[in-house]
Amino acid sequence: MDKPNIKKNEIYDIQIDAQGSEGEGIGRIDGFTVFVKNAVEGDVVNAKILKVNKSFAFAKIEKIITPSPYRSEPKCSVYNRCGGCNFMHISYEKQLRLKNKRIFDALTRIGGCKDINLPDLIGMTEPYYYRNKTQLPVGTDKSGNVITGFFAPRTHSICAFDECICAPKIQKTVTDTIKSFMKKYNISAYDEENHKGIVRHIFVRTSKRGEVMVVIITNALDLPYSDKLVDMLKENVASLVSVVQNINMDKTNLILGKNNITLYGSDTLVDSIGDLTFNISPLSFYQINAIQTQKLYNTALEFASLTGNETVFDLYSGIGTISLFMAKHAKKVLGFEIVPDAVEDAKKNAKQNNIENAHFYCGPVEKTVVEIYNAGQRADVIMLDPPRKGADEITLETIIKTVPKRIVYVSCNPETLARDVKFLRENGGYDIKKVQGVDMFPHTSHVECCLLLCREED
């Protein structure tokens, strides 16, 4: 349709009829779409137009005329400026429904699936302080004071805060201690514009038992007075078990470099899921929400329907969390992972849990799976939990070649999940049998999903 006479900086009354994928409200002016930041489906708002494109506009709320029944007052004091969460202005019950709708829409529109039975999303009873890991950039404010926080949306400008209500409570103690250390010993914060300064990020990881690993990421080989930092952290963090310096001297948006120096304690943090324990190194992927992880993995195990006679391929196996869950119920599990540290952790985790039927291979998944297949190995069940970009097409083709009875796909991105499901349906004769969403990341637009695919004749 033709663009109506909508002008930048003008104010309009807008009925919000839908919710966007990033938490923005969607309304219309004379049929023309307007995205309104922090508006909620059901709101009637007085909104100021910020930008007008050919087919849509962006606006911000000036006044809420009629609040939506789904509106919630954010508990975070910096919510409007921080880029960590984008759903906190929406009631938690509505968040769960929106995320389930995202899964359904992706599978039907992108995946071409029909007649999907999608149960309610598995949510949390208490959706705060759930993260077992935070990675906070370090910088300075206009007065030269050291600050930490998350980046503001679509910027690399740090939104400073003292405490994140989604992070472990010990995070504030750790960051305050490191900021005090930097001030006392004149240790500079990183400035990414000129690639100078030492401390880039502070990484805090906690276990169920409350033990703490602190990783300080530096733009330098040496961290001056690192022994003093360790002393200060030991004094303030009673449950401290590890302090690691990670070196990242590249001009990059990647947080972690490849090299670690253990300054104190252990190289790894030990955590548990169910009755299994895991060693986690700084470079290893580990789910950030312990409560929901167990629910997700129990769902994956249920979907796999293991009897003890199956060979399972676990693609993108990380430190072996899902592999070891499956190994207790399968004949054999082969895990495939590209990160060397994660593979070493997985082997150690299998040994310390007395699991002898899990074996791990290091290399690009799309390459190592093909090599194992060509060597004669076959899978009855394939488990895959790829990164957000989804699986490589070569990997999907190899999955189809192995003709597994069941494919259990765990994904943090419904859209790439749906794309891969379409490929497996069209090229391998597989179809969806079960699907379940799990809310691993309350107050954000992210959602985890577990899906079971079986061949149509099975």
Side-chain angles (χ1 to χ4, degrees), residues 271-289:
D271 201 7
S272 62
I273 304 174
D275 60 354
L276 296 171
T277 58
F278 298 94
N279 285 286
I280 313 158
S281 63
L283 297 180
S284 295
F285 171 78
Y286 188 71
Q287 295 282 5
I288 67 165
N289 187 328

Side-chain angles (χ1 to χ4, degrees), residues 259-279:
N259 297 316
N260 295 317
I261 301 172
T262 300
L263 304 176
Y264 166 77
S266 174
D267 297 338
T268 60
L269 182 72
V270 178
D271 201 7
S272 62
I273 304 174
D275 60 354
L276 296 171
T277 58
F278 298 94
N279 285 286

Side-chain angles (χ1 to χ4, degrees), residues 377-395:
Q377 291 278 6
R378 298 293 182 267
D380 301 296
V381 176
I382 285 188
M383 171 76 222
L384 67 158
D385 184 4
R388 291 188 59 80
K389 66 180 182 179
D392 186 280
E393 191 168 296
I394 297 174
T395 303

Side-chain angles (χ1 to χ4, degrees), residues 270-342:
V270 178
D271 201 7
S272 62
I273 304 174
D275 60 354
L276 296 171
T277 58
F278 298 94
N279 285 286
I280 313 158
S281 63
L283 297 180
S284 295
F285 171 78
Y286 188 71
Q287 295 282 5
I288 67 165
N289 187 328
I291 293 173
Q292 297 298 90
T293 295
Q294 184 147 359
K295 296 174 184 177
L296 177 68
Y297 287 3
N298 284 340
T299 300
L301 185 59
E302 176 195 335
F303 284 8
S305 300
L306 300 175
T307 65
N309 298 314
E310 295 87 1
T311 296
V312 179
F313 284 7
D314 181 13
L315 316 188
Y316 314 94
S317 54
I319 63 171
T321 48
I322 297 180
S323 296
L324 301 188
F325 255 72
M326 298 284 178
K328 295 179 70 175
H329 304 271
K331 178 181 178 181
K332 179 171 60 176
V333 175
L334 307 183
F336 303 87
E337 171 60 46
I338 193 172
V339 179
D341 284 9

